[in-house]
C-alpha cells in the first residue's frame, strides 16, 4: 500500500516544474503539501511561498528601480537637487547588507536586490560628479569603491567587520535620507529626484521587512529595513507633496487660463460687436450719401432734361414767332415799299404821260397820244412785275436773315 501511495504521489501534474518550484519558491515539503496532498491552506507553506515570491519580485523590480532616476539625469544633463553625500551613505548601507548576507549565506531571494541597487547607485554617483564638471572625481570614486568592495567580500575580511558594517547601516540610512530630505526642503523642490524610484524603494523596503523575518530570522536585517522604510517614507511624502503642488498649480493655471480666455473672448466679442456696429453705421451713411448723390444726380438730370425740353420748346416757339413776325414784317415792309414804289412810279408815269399829253396836244397828233398810252400800259405792267420780283427777293432775304439769327440765338443759349 505504501508503494502504491508513493507511485500515486509521484504522478503529480506539476512534476515537470518541481525543480524550478523547489529551487526558488518553496521547500520540497511545501511542494508535497500543495501539489500532492492538495492542501493549499497550509499557513507555514503559504508564508514561505509569499516570502519567496516577494523576494523574487523585489529582485526583478530592483533591476529597474533606479533606471528612471538615471534616465532623468541623462535627459536633463543636470543633477540639481541630488546630494552626493546622501548617495555615498546609501551606497554604504547597500554594500553592508550585501556583504552581511553573503557572509551568512542567506538565500539570494533575501538580498539579491542589493546587487542591482549597488550598481545603479554607483552610476548615479558618477553622473552627479560628471554633470558637476568633475569627471576625474567620478572615475576615482568608482575605482575606489570597487576596490573596497572586493576587499570586503574577500574571505580575509573578519566576520566582526562585516557585522559592524551591517550595524552601521541604520545610522547611515538615517543620515543619508535626512540629508536628501533637508536638501529638498531648502531647495523648495525635489529637483531631478525621480518619484518612481522613490516610491519603488519605499515599497521594496516595506516588503523586505516581511521577507527578512520569514527567510533569515535575523533581527538586525529586519530592523535595518524598518528604519529604511521610515526614511524612504519621508522622501515619498516630499515627492507626493510636490506632485500635489504641481497638480494644484496646473489647476490654478488652467482656471486662470480659462478665465483669461473667457475675458479675451468677451473683449474680442465686444470689440467685434463695436466694429460691426461701426461698419453698419458707416454702411448706412454710405447708403444715405449714395442715395443723396443718386437723387441729386437724378434731379439734375431731370432738371436738365426738363430745362432742355423747355428750352427746345421755347426755341421752337421763338423760331415760330420769329418766322411769323419776320414774315409779317416782311409782308408789311414789302407791301409798304411796293405801294410806295408803285405810288412813286405811277406818279412819275402820270407826270410823263401828262408831259407827253401836253407834248402830244401841243404837237396835235393823236398817234403820239396812243403811243404814249401804250407805253404807259407797258410801263405799268413792267413796273408791277419788277415790284413783285423785288418783294419776293426781300421775303427770301428776310427769311434767311431770320433763320441765321435764330441759329445764333440757339448756339448762345
Amino acid at each position: 500500500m505504501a508503494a502504491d501511495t508513493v507511485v500515486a504521489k509521484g504522478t503529480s501534474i506539476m512534476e515537470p516544474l518541481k525543480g524550478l518550484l523547489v529551487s526558488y519558491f518553496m521547500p520540497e515539503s511545501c511542494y508535497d503539501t500543495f501539489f500532492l496532498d492538495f492542501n493549499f491552506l497550509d499557513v507555514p507553506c503559504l508564508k514561505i511561498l509569499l516570502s519567496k515570491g516577494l523576494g523574487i519580485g523585489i529582485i526583478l523590480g530592483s533591476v529597474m528601480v533606479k533606471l528612471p532616476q538615471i534616465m532623468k539625469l541623462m535627459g536633463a544633463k543636470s543633477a540639481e537637487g541630488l546630494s552626493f553625500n546622501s548617495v555615498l551613505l546609501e551606497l554604504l548601507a547597500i554594500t553592508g547588507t550585501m556583504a552581511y548576507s553573503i557572509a551568512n549565506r542567506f538565500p539570494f531571494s533575501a538580498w539579491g536586490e542589493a546587487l542591482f541597487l549597488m550598481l545603479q547607485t554607483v552610476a548615479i554617483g558618477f553622473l552627479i560628479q560628471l554633470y558637476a564638471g568633475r569627471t576625474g572625481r567620478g572615475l576615482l570614486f568608482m575605482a575606489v569603491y570597487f576596490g573596497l568592495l572586493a576587499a570586503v567580500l574577500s574571505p580575509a575580511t573578519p566576520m566582526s567587520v562585516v557585522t559592524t558594517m551591517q550595524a552601521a547601516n541604520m545610522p547611515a540610512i538615517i543620515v543619508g535620507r535626512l540629508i536628501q530630505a533637508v536638501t529638498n526642503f531648502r531647495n523648495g523642490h525635489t529637483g531631478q529626484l525621480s518619484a518612481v524610484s522613490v516610491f519603488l524603494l519605499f515599497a521594496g523596503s516595506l516588503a523586505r521587512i516581511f521577507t527578512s523575518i520569514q527567510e533569515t530570522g535575523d533581527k538586525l536585517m529586519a530592523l535595518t529595513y524598518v528604519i529604511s522604510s521610515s526614511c524612504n517614507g519621508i522622501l515619498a511624502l516630499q515627492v507626493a507633496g510636490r506632485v500635489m503642488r504641481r497638480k494644484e498649480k496646473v489647476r490654478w493655471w488652467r482656471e486662470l487660463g480659462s478665465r483669461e480666455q473667457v475675458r479675451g473672448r468677451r473683449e474680442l466679442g465686444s470689440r467685434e460687436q463695436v466694429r460691426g456696429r461701426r461698419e453698419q453705421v458707416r454702411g448706412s451713411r454710405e447708403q444715405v450719401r449714395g442715395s443723396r448723390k443718386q437723387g441729386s444726380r437724378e434731379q439734375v438730370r431731370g432738371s436738365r432734361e426738363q430745362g432742355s425740353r423747355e428750352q427746345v420748346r421755347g426755341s421752337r416757339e421763338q423760331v415760330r414767332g420769329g418766322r411769323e413776325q419776320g414774315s409779317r414784317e416782311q409782308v408789311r415792309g414789302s407791301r409798304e415799299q411796293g405801294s410806295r414804289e408803285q405810288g412813286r412810279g405811277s406818279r412819275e408815269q402820270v407826270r410823263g404821260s401828262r408831259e407827253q399829253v401836253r407834248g402830244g396836244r401841243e404837237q396835235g397828233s393823236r398817234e403820239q397820244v396812243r403811243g404814249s398810252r401804250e407805253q404807259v400800259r407797258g410801263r405799268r405792267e413792267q413796273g408791277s412785275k419788277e415790284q413783285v420780283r423785288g418783294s419776293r427777293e426781300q421775303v427770301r432775304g428776310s427769311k434767311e436773315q431770320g433763320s441765321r439769327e435764330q441759329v445764333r440765338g440757339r448756339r448762345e443759349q
Side-chain angles (χ1 to χ4, degrees), residues 20-28 30 34 44-60 105-111 113 207-208 210-212 214-216:
L20 178 64
L21 293 174
V22 172
S23 299
Y24 296 102
F25 293 98
M26 65 188 70
E28 188 172 357
C30 289
F34 286 144
C45 290
L46 286 175
K47 288 181 179 181
I48 294 172
L49 179 62
L50 180 60
S51 176
K52 292 286 186 179
L54 285 175
I56 293 173
I58 292 171
I59 292 171
L60 294 176
R105 297 181 179 180
F106 292 148
F108 184 74
S109 60
W111 63 271
E113 78 279 1
R208 271 304 175 198
F210 173 74
T211 59
S212 299
Q214 184 64 34
E215 295 192 27
T216 66

Side-chain angles (χ1 to χ4, degrees), residues 221-413:
M221 283 193 68
L223 183 60
T224 301
Y225 284 116
V226 169
I227 294 173
S228 178
S229 299
S230 301
C231 295
N232 287 330
I234 294 173
L235 295 179
L237 288 175
Q238 287 183 332
V239 173
R242 182 193 68 176
V243 173
M244 295 300 294
R245 285 195 298 272
R246 283 185 178 178
K247 289 183 178 180
E248 291 296 329
K249 287 182 179 180
V250 170
R251 290 178 184 175
W252 185 79
W253 281 109
R254 286 180 179 176
E255 292 178 357
L256 182 61
S258 61
R259 291 176 182 176
E260 293 295 331
Q261 288 178 356
V262 170
R263 291 177 183 176
R265 289 176 182 175
R266 288 179 180 176
E267 292 178 358
L268 182 62
S270 60
R271 290 177 183 174
E272 293 295 332
Q273 289 178 357
V274 172
R275 289 178 183 175
R277 291 176 182 175
R278 289 179 180 176
E279 293 295 331
Q280 289 178 357
V281 172
R282 290 177 183 174
S284 61
R285 289 178 180 176
E286 293 294 332
Q287 289 178 357
V288 171
R289 291 177 183 175
S291 61
R292 288 179 180 177
K293 289 181 179 179
Q294 189 174 5
S296 60
R297 290 176 182 175
E298 295 294 332
Q299 289 176 358
V300 170
R301 290 177 183 175
S303 61
R304 287 180 180 177
E305 291 178 356
Q306 188 174 2
S308 62
R309 291 176 183 176
E310 294 294 331
Q311 289 175 359
V312 170
R313 290 177 182 175
S315 61
R316 290 179 179 176
E317 294 294 331
Q318 288 176 0
V319 170
R320 291 176 182 176
R323 287 179 180 178
E324 292 178 356
Q325 189 175 2
S327 60
R328 289 176 182 175
E329 293 293 331
Q330 289 174 2
V331 171
R332 289 178 183 175
S334 60
R335 287 179 179 177
E336 290 178 356
Q337 189 174 2
S339 60
R340 290 175 183 175
E341 293 293 332
Q342 287 177 1
R344 289 177 184 176
S346 61
R347 289 177 183 175
E348 292 292 332
Q349 290 176 0
V350 170
R351 288 177 183 176
S353 61
R354 286 178 180 177
E355 291 293 332
Q356 288 176 2
V357 170
R358 287 176 184 176
R361 285 178 179 179
E362 289 176 355
Q363 293 176 0
S365 62
R366 295 180 179 177
E367 293 180 358
Q368 291 179 355
V369 172
R370 292 178 182 175
S372 62
R373 289 178 180 176
E374 293 293 332
Q375 289 176 0
V376 169
R377 289 179 183 174
R379 289 177 182 176
R380 286 181 181 176
E381 291 177 356
Q382 189 176 2
S384 64
K385 289 180 182 180
E386 294 293 332
Q387 290 175 0
V388 170
R389 288 178 185 176
S391 63
R392 287 180 181 178
E393 293 295 331
Q394 288 177 1
V395 169
R396 288 177 186 176
S398 62
K399 286 182 178 180
E400 289 178 355
Q401 188 176 3
S403 61
R404 288 177 184 175
E405 296 294 332
Q406 290 174 2
V407 170
R408 288 179 185 177
R410 288 179 184 176
R411 288 179 182 178
E412 289 176 355
Q413 290 178 358

Side-chain angles (χ1 to χ4, degrees), residues 77-147:
K77 303 293 183 182
S78 171
E80 181 186 4
L82 294 180
S83 173
F84 184 70
N85 294 327
S86 176
V87 172
L88 288 178
L89 292 174
E90 183 182 1
L91 193 59
L92 175 63
I94 293 172
T95 305
T97 299
M98 185 172 63
Y100 184 78
S101 300
I102 292 174
N104 286 283
R105 297 181 179 180
F106 292 148
F108 184 74
S109 60
W111 63 271
E113 78 279 1
L115 175 62
F116 301 105
L117 289 176
M118 178 266 296
L119 295 174
Q120 296 173 48
T121 306
V122 171
I124 291 173
F126 173 74
L127 290 175
I128 291 174
Q129 295 296 324
L130 175 65
Y131 293 130
R134 297 186 291 267
T135 308
R137 286 188 183 183
L139 295 174
L140 180 63
F141 155 70
M142 293 177 65
V144 171
Y145 173 74
F146 284 113

Side-chain angles (χ1 to χ4, degrees), residues 2-30:
D4 295 338
T5 304
V6 172
V7 173
K9 288 183 178 180
T11 58
S12 173
I13 59 174
M14 299 298 292
E15 189 67 25
L17 301 176
K18 181 178 179 180
L20 178 64
L21 293 174
V22 172
S23 299
Y24 296 102
F25 293 98
M26 65 188 70
E28 188 172 357
S29 60
C30 289

